[in-house]
Short mmCIF file of all heavy atoms in Angstrom, two decimals:
data_model
loop_
_atom_site.label_atom_id
_atom_site.label_comp_id
_atom_site.label_asym_id
_atom_site.label_seq_id
_atom_site.Cartn_x
_atom_site.Cartn_y
_atom_site.Cartn_z
N PHE R 1015 16.67 33.93 18.36
CA PHE R 1015 17.15 33.08 19.44
C PHE R 1015 17.39 31.67 18.92
O PHE R 1015 16.66 31.16 18.09
CB PHE R 1015 16.14 33.03 20.59
CG PHE R 1015 16.15 34.27 21.42
CD1 PHE R 1015 15.25 35.29 21.19
CD2 PHE R 1015 17.09 34.43 22.44
CE1 PHE R 1015 15.27 36.44 21.95
CE2 PHE R 1015 17.11 35.58 23.20
CZ PHE R 1015 16.21 36.59 22.96
N SER R 1016 18.44 31.06 19.42
CA SER R 1016 18.81 29.72 18.98
C SER R 1016 18.07 28.65 19.77
O SER R 1016 17.96 28.74 20.99
CB SER R 1016 20.33 29.52 19.17
OG SER R 1016 20.67 28.18 18.90
N SER R 1017 17.60 27.66 19.06
CA SER R 1017 17.02 26.50 19.74
C SER R 1017 18.05 25.38 19.80
O SER R 1017 17.76 24.30 20.29
CB SER R 1017 15.75 26.05 19.02
OG SER R 1017 16.07 25.69 17.69
N GLN R 1018 19.24 25.64 19.29
CA GLN R 1018 20.29 24.63 19.23
C GLN R 1018 21.11 24.54 20.51
O GLN R 1018 21.53 23.47 20.91
CB GLN R 1018 21.23 24.91 18.05
CG GLN R 1018 20.54 24.93 16.71
CD GLN R 1018 19.90 23.60 16.38
OE1 GLN R 1018 20.53 22.57 16.52
NE2 GLN R 1018 18.66 23.62 15.95
N ARG R 1019 21.38 25.67 21.15
CA ARG R 1019 22.27 25.71 22.31
C ARG R 1019 21.70 26.61 23.40
O ARG R 1019 21.15 27.66 23.11
CB ARG R 1019 23.65 26.24 21.94
CG ARG R 1019 24.41 25.42 20.96
CD ARG R 1019 25.26 24.42 21.69
NE ARG R 1019 26.12 23.72 20.75
CZ ARG R 1019 26.12 22.42 20.61
NH1 ARG R 1019 25.33 21.69 21.32
NH2 ARG R 1019 26.94 21.85 19.75
N SER R 1020 21.88 26.21 24.64
CA SER R 1020 21.52 27.07 25.78
C SER R 1020 22.81 27.65 26.35
O SER R 1020 23.92 27.18 26.06
CB SER R 1020 20.81 26.24 26.85
OG SER R 1020 21.71 25.33 27.46
N SER R 1021 22.67 28.67 27.18
CA SER R 1021 23.85 29.25 27.82
C SER R 1021 24.57 28.19 28.66
O SER R 1021 25.79 28.18 28.77
CB SER R 1021 23.46 30.44 28.69
OG SER R 1021 22.53 30.05 29.68
N TYR R 1022 23.80 27.28 29.24
CA TYR R 1022 24.39 26.22 30.06
C TYR R 1022 25.27 25.30 29.21
O TYR R 1022 26.37 24.93 29.60
CB TYR R 1022 23.28 25.43 30.75
CG TYR R 1022 23.79 24.45 31.76
CD1 TYR R 1022 24.27 24.88 33.00
CD2 TYR R 1022 23.80 23.09 31.49
CE1 TYR R 1022 24.74 23.97 33.93
CE2 TYR R 1022 24.27 22.18 32.42
CZ TYR R 1022 24.74 22.63 33.64
OH TYR R 1022 25.21 21.72 34.55
N GLU R 1023 24.80 24.97 28.02
CA GLU R 1023 25.60 24.13 27.12
C GLU R 1023 26.84 24.88 26.64
O GLU R 1023 27.93 24.32 26.56
CB GLU R 1023 24.76 23.71 25.92
CG GLU R 1023 23.63 22.76 26.28
CD GLU R 1023 22.63 22.59 25.16
OE1 GLU R 1023 22.15 23.60 24.61
OE2 GLU R 1023 22.32 21.43 24.83
N ILE R 1024 26.67 26.17 26.35
CA ILE R 1024 27.80 26.98 25.87
C ILE R 1024 28.86 27.11 26.95
O ILE R 1024 30.06 27.04 26.67
CB ILE R 1024 27.30 28.36 25.39
CG1 ILE R 1024 26.45 28.17 24.12
CG2 ILE R 1024 28.46 29.31 25.14
CD1 ILE R 1024 25.68 29.39 23.71
N LYS R 1025 28.46 27.27 28.20
CA LYS R 1025 29.43 27.39 29.29
C LYS R 1025 30.28 26.12 29.40
O LYS R 1025 31.46 26.18 29.64
CB LYS R 1025 28.74 27.74 30.62
CG LYS R 1025 28.51 26.58 31.53
CD LYS R 1025 27.91 26.97 32.85
CE LYS R 1025 27.99 25.83 33.81
NZ LYS R 1025 29.28 25.61 34.42
N HIS R 1026 29.65 24.97 29.18
CA HIS R 1026 30.40 23.71 29.23
C HIS R 1026 31.37 23.59 28.06
O HIS R 1026 32.47 23.04 28.22
CB HIS R 1026 29.45 22.51 29.28
CG HIS R 1026 28.86 22.31 30.63
ND1 HIS R 1026 29.58 21.90 31.72
CD2 HIS R 1026 27.60 22.50 31.08
CE1 HIS R 1026 28.81 21.81 32.78
NE2 HIS R 1026 27.58 22.19 32.42
N ILE R 1027 31.00 24.08 26.91
CA ILE R 1027 31.92 24.08 25.76
C ILE R 1027 33.13 24.95 26.10
O ILE R 1027 34.27 24.54 25.89
CB ILE R 1027 31.20 24.59 24.49
CG1 ILE R 1027 30.12 23.58 24.07
CG2 ILE R 1027 32.21 24.82 23.37
CD1 ILE R 1027 29.18 24.10 23.00
N PHE R 1028 32.87 26.14 26.64
CA PHE R 1028 33.97 27.04 27.03
C PHE R 1028 34.89 26.37 28.05
O PHE R 1028 36.12 26.44 27.93
CB PHE R 1028 33.41 28.35 27.61
CG PHE R 1028 34.46 29.16 28.31
CD1 PHE R 1028 35.42 29.86 27.59
CD2 PHE R 1028 34.51 29.20 29.69
CE1 PHE R 1028 36.42 30.58 28.25
CE2 PHE R 1028 35.50 29.92 30.35
CZ PHE R 1028 36.45 30.61 29.62
N GLU R 1029 34.32 25.72 29.04
CA GLU R 1029 35.12 25.11 30.11
C GLU R 1029 36.08 24.04 29.59
O GLU R 1029 37.11 23.77 30.20
CB GLU R 1029 34.20 24.52 31.18
CG GLU R 1029 33.49 25.56 31.99
CD GLU R 1029 32.39 25.02 32.89
OE1 GLU R 1029 32.04 23.81 32.77
OE2 GLU R 1029 31.87 25.79 33.70
N ARG R 1030 35.75 23.44 28.45
CA ARG R 1030 36.59 22.39 27.87
C ARG R 1030 37.64 22.91 26.90
O ARG R 1030 38.42 22.14 26.34
CB ARG R 1030 35.72 21.33 27.19
CG ARG R 1030 34.88 20.52 28.16
CD ARG R 1030 34.19 19.35 27.48
NE ARG R 1030 33.27 19.76 26.44
CZ ARG R 1030 31.95 19.97 26.59
NH1 ARG R 1030 31.41 19.81 27.77
NH2 ARG R 1030 31.20 20.32 25.57
N THR R 1031 37.69 24.23 26.69
CA THR R 1031 38.69 24.80 25.79
C THR R 1031 40.03 24.92 26.51
O THR R 1031 40.08 24.89 27.74
CB THR R 1031 38.25 26.18 25.27
OG1 THR R 1031 38.16 27.09 26.37
CG2 THR R 1031 36.92 26.10 24.55
N PRO R 1032 41.12 25.08 25.77
CA PRO R 1032 42.44 25.16 26.41
C PRO R 1032 42.57 26.28 27.46
O PRO R 1032 43.21 26.08 28.48
CB PRO R 1032 43.39 25.41 25.24
CG PRO R 1032 42.71 24.79 24.07
CD PRO R 1032 41.24 25.02 24.31
N LEU R 1033 41.96 27.42 27.24
CA LEU R 1033 42.02 28.51 28.22
C LEU R 1033 40.78 28.57 29.10
O LEU R 1033 40.63 29.48 29.92
CB LEU R 1033 42.20 29.86 27.51
CG LEU R 1033 43.52 30.04 26.78
CD1 LEU R 1033 43.54 31.39 26.05
CD2 LEU R 1033 44.69 29.94 27.73
N GLY R 1034 39.89 27.60 28.94
CA GLY R 1034 38.64 27.59 29.69
C GLY R 1034 38.84 27.32 31.17
O GLY R 1034 39.86 26.80 31.60
N PHE R 1035 37.84 27.68 31.94
CA PHE R 1035 37.83 27.47 33.39
C PHE R 1035 36.37 27.38 33.80
O PHE R 1035 35.46 27.72 33.03
CB PHE R 1035 38.54 28.61 34.12
CG PHE R 1035 38.09 29.98 33.71
CD1 PHE R 1035 37.01 30.60 34.32
CD2 PHE R 1035 38.73 30.64 32.66
CE1 PHE R 1035 36.59 31.85 33.93
CE2 PHE R 1035 38.30 31.90 32.26
CZ PHE R 1035 37.22 32.51 32.90
N TYR R 1036 36.13 26.92 35.02
CA TYR R 1036 34.76 26.77 35.51
C TYR R 1036 34.10 28.13 35.66
O TYR R 1036 34.67 29.06 36.24
CB TYR R 1036 34.74 26.05 36.86
CG TYR R 1036 33.36 25.94 37.43
CD1 TYR R 1036 32.48 24.96 36.97
CD2 TYR R 1036 32.91 26.84 38.39
CE1 TYR R 1036 31.19 24.87 37.47
CE2 TYR R 1036 31.62 26.76 38.89
CZ TYR R 1036 30.77 25.77 38.43
OH TYR R 1036 29.49 25.69 38.92
N VAL R 1037 32.89 28.27 35.11
CA VAL R 1037 32.09 29.48 35.30
C VAL R 1037 30.66 29.07 35.61
O VAL R 1037 30.19 28.03 35.14
CB VAL R 1037 32.09 30.42 34.07
CG1 VAL R 1037 33.44 31.03 33.83
CG2 VAL R 1037 31.59 29.73 32.83
N LEU R 1038 29.99 29.87 36.40
CA LEU R 1038 28.57 29.66 36.62
C LEU R 1038 27.81 30.11 35.39
O LEU R 1038 28.27 30.96 34.62
CB LEU R 1038 28.11 30.45 37.85
CG LEU R 1038 28.68 29.97 39.18
CD1 LEU R 1038 28.33 30.95 40.30
CD2 LEU R 1038 28.15 28.58 39.51
N ASN R 1039 26.63 29.55 35.19
CA ASN R 1039 25.82 29.89 34.03
C ASN R 1039 25.55 31.39 33.97
O ASN R 1039 25.58 31.99 32.90
CB ASN R 1039 24.51 29.10 34.06
CG ASN R 1039 23.76 29.19 32.76
OD1 ASN R 1039 24.35 29.07 31.70
ND2 ASN R 1039 22.47 29.41 32.84
N GLY R 1040 25.30 32.02 35.11
CA GLY R 1040 25.04 33.45 35.13
C GLY R 1040 26.23 34.26 34.62
O GLY R 1040 26.06 35.26 33.92
N ALA R 1041 27.44 33.85 34.97
CA ALA R 1041 28.64 34.54 34.50
C ALA R 1041 28.76 34.43 32.98
O ALA R 1041 29.14 35.40 32.31
CB ALA R 1041 29.89 33.99 35.17
N MET R 1042 28.41 33.28 32.42
CA MET R 1042 28.41 33.13 30.96
C MET R 1042 27.37 34.05 30.35
O MET R 1042 27.63 34.72 29.34
CB MET R 1042 28.13 31.67 30.56
CG MET R 1042 28.03 31.45 29.06
SD MET R 1042 29.49 31.97 28.10
CE MET R 1042 30.61 30.62 28.44
N LYS R 1043 26.19 34.13 30.95
CA LYS R 1043 25.15 35.03 30.45
C LYS R 1043 25.65 36.47 30.48
O LYS R 1043 25.42 37.24 29.55
CB LYS R 1043 23.88 34.92 31.28
CG LYS R 1043 23.11 33.65 31.06
CD LYS R 1043 21.87 33.68 31.94
CE LYS R 1043 21.02 32.46 31.74
NZ LYS R 1043 19.78 32.55 32.52
N GLY R 1044 26.34 36.85 31.55
CA GLY R 1044 26.88 38.20 31.65
C GLY R 1044 27.88 38.49 30.56
O GLY R 1044 27.86 39.56 29.94
N ALA R 1045 28.78 37.55 30.30
CA ALA R 1045 29.78 37.72 29.24
C ALA R 1045 29.09 37.87 27.88
O ALA R 1045 29.50 38.68 27.05
CB ALA R 1045 30.74 36.54 29.22
N MET R 1046 28.05 37.09 27.68
CA MET R 1046 27.35 37.17 26.40
C MET R 1046 26.59 38.49 26.26
O MET R 1046 26.55 39.06 25.17
CB MET R 1046 26.43 35.96 26.24
CG MET R 1046 27.24 34.67 26.12
SD MET R 1046 26.24 33.21 25.91
CE MET R 1046 25.86 33.37 24.17
N LEU R 1047 26.02 38.99 27.35
CA LEU R 1047 25.37 40.31 27.30
C LEU R 1047 26.38 41.39 26.95
O LEU R 1047 26.12 42.25 26.10
CB LEU R 1047 24.73 40.64 28.65
CG LEU R 1047 23.37 40.01 28.92
CD1 LEU R 1047 22.98 40.20 30.38
CD2 LEU R 1047 22.31 40.61 28.01
N ILE R 1048 27.53 41.35 27.59
CA ILE R 1048 28.58 42.33 27.32
C ILE R 1048 29.04 42.24 25.86
O ILE R 1048 29.32 43.25 25.22
CB ILE R 1048 29.74 42.17 28.31
CG1 ILE R 1048 29.30 42.72 29.67
CG2 ILE R 1048 31.02 42.85 27.82
CD1 ILE R 1048 30.26 42.51 30.79
N ALA R 1049 29.06 41.03 25.33
CA ALA R 1049 29.48 40.83 23.94
C ALA R 1049 28.39 41.21 22.93
O ALA R 1049 28.63 41.15 21.73
CB ALA R 1049 29.93 39.38 23.73
N GLY R 1050 27.21 41.57 23.42
CA GLY R 1050 26.17 42.03 22.52
C GLY R 1050 25.03 41.06 22.26
O GLY R 1050 24.16 41.34 21.44
N TYR R 1051 25.01 39.94 22.92
CA TYR R 1051 23.93 38.97 22.75
C TYR R 1051 22.77 39.32 23.68
O TYR R 1051 22.97 39.94 24.72
CB TYR R 1051 24.42 37.55 23.05
CG TYR R 1051 25.40 37.05 22.02
CD1 TYR R 1051 26.76 37.34 22.13
CD2 TYR R 1051 24.97 36.31 20.94
CE1 TYR R 1051 27.66 36.90 21.17
CE2 TYR R 1051 25.86 35.86 19.98
CZ TYR R 1051 27.20 36.16 20.11
OH TYR R 1051 28.08 35.74 19.16
N GLN R 1052 21.58 38.88 23.31
CA GLN R 1052 20.40 39.06 24.14
C GLN R 1052 20.11 37.74 24.85
O GLN R 1052 20.30 36.67 24.28
CB GLN R 1052 19.19 39.45 23.28
CG GLN R 1052 19.38 40.75 22.54
CD GLN R 1052 19.50 41.92 23.49
OE1 GLN R 1052 18.73 42.05 24.43
NE2 GLN R 1052 20.50 42.76 23.27
N ILE R 1053 19.63 37.84 26.09
CA ILE R 1053 19.27 36.60 26.79
C ILE R 1053 17.77 36.47 26.87
O ILE R 1053 17.03 37.44 26.83
CB ILE R 1053 19.90 36.51 28.20
CG1 ILE R 1053 19.34 37.56 29.13
CG2 ILE R 1053 21.41 36.57 28.12
CD1 ILE R 1053 19.72 37.34 30.57
N ARG R 1054 17.36 35.24 26.98
CA ARG R 1054 15.94 34.91 27.11
C ARG R 1054 15.87 33.84 28.18
O ARG R 1054 16.31 32.72 27.96
CB ARG R 1054 15.41 34.41 25.78
CG ARG R 1054 13.97 33.98 25.83
CD ARG R 1054 13.46 33.63 24.47
NE ARG R 1054 14.10 32.42 23.96
CZ ARG R 1054 13.81 31.86 22.80
NH1 ARG R 1054 12.92 32.42 22.01
NH2 ARG R 1054 14.41 30.77 22.41
N ASN R 1055 15.34 34.19 29.34
CA ASN R 1055 15.25 33.22 30.44
C ASN R 1055 14.04 32.33 30.25
O ASN R 1055 12.91 32.77 30.32
CB ASN R 1055 15.16 33.93 31.78
CG ASN R 1055 16.50 34.29 32.33
OD1 ASN R 1055 17.47 33.59 32.07
ND2 ASN R 1055 16.59 35.38 33.05
N GLU R 1056 14.32 31.10 30.02
CA GLU R 1056 13.32 30.07 29.95
C GLU R 1056 13.87 28.88 30.70
O GLU R 1056 14.96 28.93 31.26
CB GLU R 1056 12.99 29.69 28.51
CG GLU R 1056 12.26 30.79 27.77
CD GLU R 1056 11.84 30.35 26.38
OE1 GLU R 1056 12.24 29.24 25.95
OE2 GLU R 1056 11.13 31.11 25.73
N LYS R 1057 13.17 27.79 30.67
CA LYS R 1057 13.63 26.62 31.41
C LYS R 1057 15.04 26.20 31.02
O LYS R 1057 15.82 25.79 31.85
CB LYS R 1057 12.67 25.44 31.18
CG LYS R 1057 11.37 25.61 31.91
CD LYS R 1057 10.49 24.40 31.72
CE LYS R 1057 9.18 24.63 32.43
NZ LYS R 1057 8.26 23.53 32.24
N ARG R 1058 15.41 26.34 29.75
CA ARG R 1058 16.73 25.92 29.30
C ARG R 1058 17.69 27.10 29.17
O ARG R 1058 18.77 26.96 28.64
CB ARG R 1058 16.63 25.19 27.97
CG ARG R 1058 15.87 23.88 28.13
CD ARG R 1058 15.99 23.03 26.92
NE ARG R 1058 17.39 22.70 26.69
CZ ARG R 1058 17.89 22.36 25.54
NH1 ARG R 1058 17.14 22.31 24.48
NH2 ARG R 1058 19.17 22.07 25.41
N ASN R 1059 17.29 28.30 29.63
CA ASN R 1059 18.17 29.48 29.63
C ASN R 1059 18.74 29.79 28.25
O ASN R 1059 19.93 29.95 28.08
CB ASN R 1059 19.31 29.30 30.63
CG ASN R 1059 18.80 29.03 32.00
OD1 ASN R 1059 17.91 29.73 32.48
ND2 ASN R 1059 19.31 28.02 32.64
#
């Protein structure tokens, strides 16, 4: 698990990309699960 970035920070990076759009943190977590990442729910998600 990364201590560098949270799903919340990653969602904001995505939103600022040319094809990015607003997503809720949970939707980003879902996309990452589908892509093969594991989630760990803690205070910083």
Side-chain angles (χ1 to χ4, degrees):
F1015 284 96
S1016 173
S1017 60
Q1018 301 298 313
R1019 297 269 187 238
S1020 69
S1021 58
Y1022 188 75
E1023 292 167 309
I1024 292 168
K1025 99 176 193 78
H1026 283 291
I1027 293 168
F1028 167 75
E1029 290 170 351
R1030 292 188 299 266
T1031 64
L1033 294 177
F1035 50 88
Y1036 177 80
V1037 292
L1038 293 171
N1039 192 44
M1042 176 57 77
K1043 288 181 178 184
M1046 293 181 79
L1047 279 169
I1048 286 174
Y1051 292 86
Q1052 299 295 314
I1053 66 169
R1054 177 174 68 178
N1055 275 330
E1056 291 185 353
K1057 287 183 182 177
R1058 294 191 61 203
N1059 303 312

